[in-house]
Amino acid sequence: MDFVKLSEQRFTAKKFDVNKKIPRDDVEKLKTILQLSPSSVNSQPWVFLWGTSDNSKKRVRPAIADFNWNRIDTCSDFVVIAVRKGLDDKFQHTLLDQEIKDGRIANEEIAKECFESRKFFIDLRERTGQTLNWETKQAYIAMTGRLPRHRFHTDRRFR
């Protein structure tokens, strides 16, 4: 894999062809990429909200700067990456249970160490009032997942 070539191919679409839709298999791939996004201490502080319908676009439009309205209005799919309001113990136990189910954690002792280590870093942010800032930075990591540029944009001026 040539990481320089991948970086050179990076593209931000500014305009969409309303007659083109992202193929469903690419949508599923992107969902998998988002699901596998790394985060500090595997905190996974985000929620991904996928939208395609005109109604869902209207619902998110008020949260988008007016100069981007055309983008949300004409895209076939969009993802809102939101951060959780805190990372409480209940959420962390749910996350740990999933890691165990996925076979990422071999035994109860390691599970306890993982939970305590993650809790240390989360509590550190809580004590300093930096939890939201830290979570937001983690969400930027997830935002790097993207599909090939050539399929969806219509305006080549921005290449």
Side-chain angles (χ1 to χ4, degrees):
M1 180 175 295
D2 186 340
F3 292 106
V4 172
K5 188 172 243 7
L6 289 172
S7 295
E8 290 171 346
Q9 293 175 346
R10 191 203 74 72
F11 180 81
T12 302
K14 305 290 185 188
K15 208 173 188 182
F16 301 101
D17 181 340
V18 295
N19 297 311
K20 291 185 179 180
K21 305 294 182 202
I22 299 175
R24 293 297 100 190
D25 61 323
D26 283 346
V27 167
E28 293 308 313
K29 287 176 187 174
L30 182 55
K31 287 179 179 180
T32 299
I33 290 168
L34 290 172
Q35 181 183 16
L36 297 173
S37 295
S39 60
S40 178
V41 298
N42 198 30
S43 57
Q44 300 181 33
W46 45 63
V47 176
F48 304 115
L49 306 170
W50 201 274
T52 58
S53 70
D54 288 339
N55 187 45
S56 62
K57 293 175 185 182
K58 287 177 188 171
R59 290 179 66 195
V60 301
R61 205 172 196 248
I64 298 171
D66 61 352
F67 56 83
N68 282 321
W69 285 353
N70 186 53
R71 292 181 186 139
I72 193 71
D73 293 344
T74 59
C75 69
S76 67
D77 296 68
F78 67 89
V79 180
V80 174
I81 302 175
V83 294
R84 298 175 185 281
K85 189 173 180 181
L87 299 169
D88 63 16
D89 285 359
K90 181 180 177 186
F91 172 71
Q92 291 306 314
H93 279 294
T94 301
L95 182 59
L96 187 65
D97 290 344
Q98 187 62 51
E99 290 172 315
I100 292 167
K101 180 181 171 189
D102 291 344
R104 297 185 64 204
I105 297 175
N107 59 50
E108 193 64 37
E109 183 181 333
I110 294 172
K112 183 179 179 193
E113 289 175 16
C114 287
F115 181 83
E116 289 174 0
S117 175
R118 188 178 297 138
K119 184 165 178 49
F120 170 81
F121 285 102
I122 291 169
D123 288 350
L124 178 66
R125 286 1 183 255
E126 284 291 326
R127 286 192 302 276
T128 60
Q130 293 296 312
T131 304
L132 182 60
N133 184 34
W134 182 59
E135 289 177 302
T136 302
K137 288 176 181 176
Q138 301 307 306
Y140 275 98
I141 296 169
M143 288 173 52
T144 63
R146 59 187 175 270
L147 296 172
R149 65 182 176 169
H150 63 277
R151 295 186 183 173
F152 311 115
H153 66 85
T154 58
D155 194 336
R156 298 238 183 255
R157 294 176 300 156
F158 298 104
R159 257 195 166 170

